[in-house]
């Protein structure tokens, strides 16, 4: 698995908020954003798996 670069433009207020959240966790902004994206991706995949299971077994 390789890595790629993602560049984005955000306003100063949002960047300040990200810096504060990252600092509370002792993380860099980059690490904080990547972890947040990974967590959101997991949440979406988990929900899709639960939905599929409910369709397969029938909702209770």
């Amino acid at each position: 698995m390789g890595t790629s670069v993602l560049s984005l433009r955000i306003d100063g207020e949002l960047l300040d908020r990200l810096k504060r959240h990252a600092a509370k966790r002792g993380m860099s902004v980059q690490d904080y954003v990547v972890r947040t994206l990974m967590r959101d991706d997991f949440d979406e995949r988990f929900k899709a798996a639960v939905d599929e299971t409910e369709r397969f077994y029938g909702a209770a």
Side-chain angles (χ1 to χ4, degrees), residues 4-9:
S4 298
V5 175
L6 171 67
S7 177
L8 60 130
R9 187 178 306 248

Side-chain angles (χ1 to χ4, degrees), residues 2-24:
T3 61
S4 298
V5 175
L6 171 67
S7 177
L8 60 130
R9 187 178 306 248
I10 58 175
D11 68 11
E13 184 179 322
L14 177 56
L15 180 58
D16 290 340
R17 286 179 28 218
L18 289 171
K19 286 179 180 178
R20 285 194 303 272
H21 287 291
K24 286 180 187 176

Side-chain angles (χ1 to χ4, degrees), residues 9-44:
R9 187 178 306 248
I10 58 175
D11 68 11
E13 184 179 322
L14 177 56
L15 180 58
D16 290 340
R17 286 179 28 218
L18 289 171
K19 286 179 180 178
R20 285 194 303 272
H21 287 291
K24 286 180 187 176
R25 292 157 180 80
M27 303 169 74
S28 69
V29 172
Q30 177 180 343
D31 289 341
Y32 177 77
V33 170
V34 168
R35 277 193 154 186
T36 301
L37 291 171
M38 289 170 56
R39 184 181 65 231
D40 286 349
D41 180 57
F42 172 80
D43 291 346
E44 287 179 22

